[in-house]
Amino acid sequence: MEYSVKSGDLSKQRAACVVVGVFSRRLLSPEGKFIDKLSNGYLTRRLKNGDVMGEIGQSLMLHEVPGIRADRVLLIGGGRQKDFTPARLKKAVAAAIGLLNSGPVVEAVFCLSGFEPANHGLYGTLRDVVTAAEDRVYRFDELKSDPEAPKRPLRRLTFFLSDRRQLTTAERAIAHGKAIGQGVSLAKTLGNLPGNICTPSYLADQAKKLGRRSRKLRTKVLEEAQMQELGMGALLSVSRGSRQPAKLIVMEYRGGKANNKPVVIIGKGLTFDAGGISLKPAAAMDEMKYDMCGGASVLGVVSACIELELPINLVGIVPSSENLPDGDANKPGDIVTSMSGQTIEVLNTDAEGRLILCDALTYSERFEPAAVIDIATLTGACVVALGKHASGLFSDDDALAEEILAAGTKSGDRAWRLPLWEDYQNQLDSNFADMANIGGSGAGAVTAACFLWRFAKKFKWAHLDIAGAAWDTGKEKGATGRPVALLVQFLLKRCGISSL
Ligand code: BES
Ligand code: MN
Ligand code: ZN
């Protein structure tokens, strides 16, 4: 979608459709009131008729509204004004975009003054509108032979500003929203692609493709032989059970000063998790194609960084493998040696994410990171604890944890902190190795984080368990692209260029 901004006289604005907000109890936004006046109370009469009440998600398309030059006016409901939140804004916008996208209108003018959530500002509002629009028009139909695409899709949104001085802020909000939206879309598509297409090699190729988009980005891909030399025995033990070779994807983005320490983000890139010899049950096993969504989010964030040319140094790392049963696969009881030298008893081959991540964590030491964040669809236990609305956040660094939580709140891509305490560590005791790869019953998401913690002692570190957040199930099955929005907000804030 294309976006632009305009200010001036709304009454002279030619457009196929003008979109204005209305809150419950028929409360029109300032621009709504303006159009109402131009049309001699046409909107008020529709509202009085009860055609639209201003409830959240409600909308009403009006044709041939007198006194204006636009062909249509779309009223979108925002619910009660005092309860208006960014989440509701996105919901209202998604409803409007859905309607417009399926109709004949290809360009629309959004009038959003007075349709701003409290303390969200023009920047936050427009950025959210853009990300919500990108989210709504996203489609994944490249594998259908005859996709049902909208006949006349919406192509352009113009934001009508009441004040010319808002122009630069608006343009920045649009640029940021678009970059986030595109990063989210990339993460969604990689997630939605099936395991027979999106293999470790495919992910590596996509990362190389990103590398060709910017001179600031260098992508390198470590092959199994190189991982062997580095002593990545944990990661390689997982890929031994698969015919697809493992890849360690390393994307170095240099946008900041040469001596600035980079932020490292590490995403689990398990392109299909059958569980290995500890095979998963058949029901919904197809969803384990989504076990690379952490890795996909890293590519999405790197894409946004390139797009915005962020003045920051960032390293994106994606350890990628499949986890399948095979004659050469890990067996329960096997003991492997990680790159850190610590030995691990693999009591359950389905706890493979931590095995590939621990070597990637050790590998990241070489970048002398300012902070490391890993992102992983790590545990079913996290889904039990938090469901799909929040990613689980674990960190022993309170300042870093607060920074991530704030980025989640501001972007609407929220995380919730769970305990990372030494008390849980003895659940990982093993009689035969330095640790086991599972923590027994109780607090499965916490013990998984505790496992990773043992490999993250040399830098500031946080772990995001996105097992619940990364994809939707049921009728609306599909990747969500989370937590790209959280992470980009985190980086924008670190660069000092987010107004949120
Ligand atoms: N990829 C899964 C975690 C997962 C399961 C995410 C379901 C989303 C939905 C991970 O590799 C896994 O299998 N974890 C095990 C760990 C257990 C064996 C300690 C789990 O959660 O069951
Ligand atoms: Mn698993
Ligand atoms: Zn897994």
Side-chain angles (χ1 to χ4, degrees):
M1 188 105 69
E2 284 175 48
Y3 302 88
S4 57
V5 286
K6 218 177 217 175
S7 64
D9 186 348
L10 185 56
S11 66
K12 300 219 171 74
Q13 182 70 49
R14 289 185 192 281
C17 185
V18 169
V19 182
V20 294
V22 51
F23 290 112
S24 38
R25 304 216 185 111
R26 310 181 189 119
L27 193 62
L28 281 169
S29 68
E31 279 122 347
K33 283 186 187 138
F34 183 65
I35 292 175
D36 193 44
K37 216 160 118 198
L38 290 171
S39 65
N40 280 322
Y42 187 87
L43 302 195
T44 310
R45 287 197 294 281
R46 299 285 79 71
L47 292 168
K48 288 221 169 106
N49 281 349
D51 286 333
V52 63
M53 306 297 282
E55 299 312 316
I56 184 78
Q58 245 191 359
S59 58
L60 179 68
M61 184 69 94
L62 300 173
H63 300 265
E64 296 176 28
V65 175
I68 59 167
R69 301 214 176 149
D71 302 337
R72 303 169 183 79
V73 173
L74 176 61
L75 293 176
I76 57 172
R80 286 162 65 114
Q81 185 168 31
K82 74 172 185 40
D83 300 335
F84 198 49
T85 57
R88 291 185 176 196
L89 168 70
K90 288 187 196 171
K91 208 169 158 187
V93 168
I97 299 288
L99 190 81
L100 292 168
N101 204 36
S102 58
V105 171
V106 296
E107 40 104 26
V109 176
F110 270 61
C111 301
L112 294 170
S113 79
F115 211 59
E116 284 178 11
N119 305 318
H120 209 46
L122 180 75
Y123 170 84
T125 301
L126 291 195
R127 195 177 103 179
D128 277 355
V129 172
V130 173
T131 52
E134 293 292 316
D135 194 68
R136 186 61 183 78
V137 300
Y138 173 84
R139 309 170 54 82
F140 180 75
D141 51 17
E142 55 198 78
L143 299 175
K144 290 200 189 257
S145 55
D146 189 12
E148 298 160 26
K151 290 198 177 54
R152 306 203 63 197
L154 191 63
R155 290 197 198 286
R156 174 184 283 276
L157 288 189
T158 302
F159 296 113
F160 189 83
L161 303 177
S162 49
D163 185 344
R164 277 193 65 80
R165 283 169 300 183
Q166 297 171 323
L167 220 71
T168 43
T169 304
E171 269 160 3
R172 194 160 44 95
I174 291 171
H176 292 182
K178 221 174 151 178
I180 293 168
Q182 287 171 357
V184 166
S185 293
L186 173 61
K188 281 187 191 173
T189 295
L190 293 173
N192 287 332
L193 283 167
N196 63 327
I197 294 175
C198 185
T199 59
S201 306
Y202 182 91
L203 273 185
D205 288 343
Q206 296 305 305
K208 286 184 192 151
K209 214 166 119 186
L210 281 180
R212 291 194 286 275
R213 250 172 62 190
S214 165
R215 288 178 51 197
K216 295 191 169 123
L217 181 66
R218 212 188 51 159
T219 298
K220 89 182 164 204
V221 177
L222 275 65
E223 306 295 332
E224 288 188 346
Q226 291 161 285
M227 292 186 246
Q228 190 75 54
E229 261 169 51
L230 289 164
M232 295 186 164
L235 194 164
L236 290 171
S237 78
V238 176
S239 82
R240 266 205 342 266
S242 152
R243 298 193 186 178
Q244 293 290 337
K247 305 279 170 179
L248 184 72
I249 303 164
V250 184
M251 292 166 279
E252 280 181 76
Y253 172 83
R254 304 208 147 271
K257 295 201 182 83
N259 58 353
N260 280 4
K261 292 185 169 177
V263 171
V264 175
I265 52 176
I266 303 176
K268 175 179 175 184
L270 221 292
T271 58
F272 190 78
D273 180 13
I277 297 299
S278 315
L279 190 64
K280 285 185 184 292
M285 204 209 266
D286 66 289
E287 290 181 13
M288 282 298 114
K289 72 175 183 179
Y290 290 118
D291 212 14
M292 36 55 70
C293 283
S297 75
V298 167
L299 269 79
V301 172
V302 169
S303 152
C305 273
I306 298 174
E307 203 57 35
L308 296 173
E309 300 193 312
L310 288 190
I312 197 168
N313 294 329
L314 176 79
V315 182
I317 301 179
V318 182
S320 186
S321 173
E322 296 180 321
N323 185 27
L324 296 173
D326 178 85
D328 203 24
N330 268 332
K331 302 174 290 299
D334 283 3
I335 293 178
V336 301
T337 304
S338 67
M339 182 179 174
S340 71
Q342 299 178 88
T343 59
I344 303 158
E345 186 183 14
V346 182
L347 287 177
N348 189 319
T349 68
D350 198 10
E352 85 298 335
R354 58 198 83 181
L355 295 176
I356 68 170
L357 288 166
C358 70
D359 282 341
L361 281 165
T362 304
Y363 181 78
S364 70
E365 286 171 11
R366 67 189 52 212
F367 299 105
E368 295 177 28
V372 177
I373 305 173
D374 77 72
I375 307 110
T377 47
L378 204 61
T379 65
C382 192
V383 189
V384 174
L386 298 175
K388 67 180 214 171
H389 298 293
S391 302
L393 170 67
F394 303 83
S395 182
D396 58 340
D397 187 305
D398 290 341
L400 181 60
E402 290 301 329
E403 207 180 334
I404 293 170
L405 289 174
T409 307
K410 295 289 187 188
S411 61
D413 180 359
R414 287 187 289 186
W416 191 258
R417 196 170 178 189
L418 293 170
L420 185 74
W421 295 336
E422 287 294 343
D423 310 53
Y424 292 94
Q425 284 288 11
N426 62 14
Q427 286 184 239
L428 294 169
D429 285 350
S430 157
N431 281 349
F432 308 109
D434 297 342
M435 70 194 87
N437 77 329
I438 53 171
S441 66
V446 181
T447 53
C450 280
F451 180 98
L452 297 177
W453 192 14
R454 296 176 181 223
F455 300 84
K457 297 294 181 192
K458 298 198 174 142
F459 37 70
K460 291 186 179 177
W461 163 79
H463 158 62
L464 282 167
D465 193 331
I466 58 164
W471 72 92
D472 286 323
T473 53
K475 209 166 142 265
E476 297 288 300
K477 194 194 290 185
T480 60
R482 292 177 66 187
V484 170
L486 178 159
L487 292 167
V488 175
Q489 169 62 19
F490 173 88
L491 295 174
L492 286 170
K493 203 73 192 166
R494 282 221 158 186
C495 301
I497 54 176
S498 165
S499 312
L500 269 178

